[in-house]
Amino acid sequence: MTDLDALVVTAQADFSAAPTPAELENAKARYLGKAGRLTELLKGLGALSHDEKKTRGAEINQAKQRIDAALTARRQAMADAELDAQLRAEALDVTLPGRQRGIGGLHPVSRTMERIEAIFGSMGFDVAEGPEIETDWMSFTALNNPENHPARSMQDTFYVDMKDEAGHWLNLRPHTSPMQVRYARAHAAKHADLIAGGGVMPEIRVIAPGRTYRIDSDATHSPMFHQCEGLWIGENVSFKDLKVVFTDFCRKFFESDDLQLRFRPSFFPFTEPSAEIDIAFASGPLKGQWLEVAGSGQVHPTVVRNYGLDPERHIGFAFGMGPDRLTMLRYGVNDLRLFFDGDLRFLQQFR
Ligand code: PHE
């Protein structure tokens, strides 16, 4: 092997070993640069005779061409590898399924609320909403539940350490019953002239669904839960009407004509007489079991007076039911907390 062949072989090895384009350019300089080994050889030609110059010059040129070729090949190989890597990194798998937008759905309790509103709506009931932060007067006093009365402790109320402008203590409403008072007072005010003139006031027929709060938490109680109040006041509204309306509602809600209802005597300060309403299914896993779904009763005269109406003329009934409970019964859910945990695996079943 001539010295030139050896030089070419070293250059080829050097180029192949260069790991980056920058190092390849450094390697190139070592052979072809101003002080490169090939350049030095060319400079040495000057010392040779004319003939020697010719042959040696041609040999050196040939070696230079081979080194150039090796350099070009290595540059190309590096560029190809880089392009390959880039293509691989930016690869797009067009066979992957597209990203879908999640489809939302109504919460099961919201579905129940809508159902309740639709059924009572079809019976001529208005739907009203009211504040969740209530005054002591609305939550209790107006409902014939005076300060320091033991019946107040039936409801484990969340009290707020704050008073409203009128000096009433605030609480998170423990039931929707204050909506009886708010709605009836507005209704009485609206028809005040008519009532004063001895005319017949249009009946009050309203339901008031919403959130309620009590210090209570287990499988069947949550500190935040839902209630739906109902109120029907007129000159001729009786307990019999309550039975008819509520029976009709339950049968429609559960889509079952042979559902049984039981009115069990009970106590509420704002109704007299009072009853708990129990239902029993005629079939299914809960067949024959009495299940409590609402409190109810004929509105107490003191409460009617607090509506701003005359209890001698305006009578009727109220009820308060638990939409959470109704939802559990309708869908066969046995733990109330599932409704409020926000677990999509549970909620998606109702979509
Ligand atoms: N407010 C009562 C409760 O929370 C339910 C009820 C409403 C009872 C209306 C009678 C009349 O238990």
Side-chain angles (χ1 to χ4, degrees), residues 192-201 235 313:
D193 290 346
L194 181 79
I195 299 167
V200 177
M201 175 189 84
E235 300 205 345
R313 267 189 83 186

Side-chain angles (χ1 to χ4, degrees), residues 327-347:
T327 312
M328 290 170 80
L329 292 173
R330 184 161 144 85
Y331 295 112
V333 175
N334 55 16
D335 192 329
L336 176 73
R337 291 169 291 198
L338 284 167
F339 290 141
F340 309 122
D341 282 348
D343 186 336
L344 286 179
R345 290 168 304 177
F346 172 73
L347 296 173

Side-chain angles (χ1 to χ4, degrees), residues 1-15 30-32 36-42 56 59-60 63-64 66-67 70:
M1 197 193 284
T2 68
D3 62 334
L4 287 171
D5 285 339
L7 186 63
V8 171
V9 171
T10 340
Q12 284 169 339
D14 226 1
F15 294 162
R30 284 200 291 279
Y31 299 92
L32 306 172
R37 289 172 64 182
L38 212 83
T39 320
E40 293 299 328
L41 288 177
L42 285 169
R56 181 69 176 163
E59 284 167 5
I60 294 176
K64 183 173 180 292
R66 289 168 68 197
I67 291 176

Side-chain angles (χ1 to χ4, degrees), residues 143 154-155 174-178 180 212 214 225 227-231 267-271 273-276 292 294-299 317-321:
L143 293 164
M154 276 168 72
Q155 303 184 336
H175 53 181
T176 43
S177 298
Q180 290 178 29
T212 46
R214 289 185 203 181
F225 60 106
Q227 277 199 349
C228 182
E229 197 76 9
L231 181 66
F267 169 79
F268 298 102
F270 31 94
T271 46
S274 306
E276 304 276 2
E292 186 185 317
S296 67
Q298 172 124 19
V299 179
F317 60 81
F319 55 83
M321 60 181 150

Side-chain angles (χ1 to χ4, degrees), residues 213-273:
Y213 303 84
R214 289 185 203 181
I215 305 172
D216 227 346
S217 188
D218 58 40
T220 52
H221 296 89
S222 149
M224 187 287 298
F225 60 106
H226 297 87
Q227 277 199 349
C228 182
E229 197 76 9
L231 181 66
W232 188 355
I233 298 288
E235 300 205 345
N236 247 316
V237 186
S238 73
F239 216 97
K240 185 189 73 194
D241 296 306
L242 167 64
K243 277 188 135 175
V244 170
V245 161
F246 211 84
T247 303
D248 201 22
F249 162 73
C250 288
R251 291 187 174 162
K252 283 194 173 128
F253 184 87
F254 290 107
E255 295 164 283
S256 155
D257 282 338
D258 39 15
L259 188 97
Q260 297 298 304
L261 271 83
R262 177 172 82 176
F263 288 73
R264 187 163 35 87
S266 184
F267 169 79
F268 298 102
F270 31 94
T271 46
E272 180 60 38

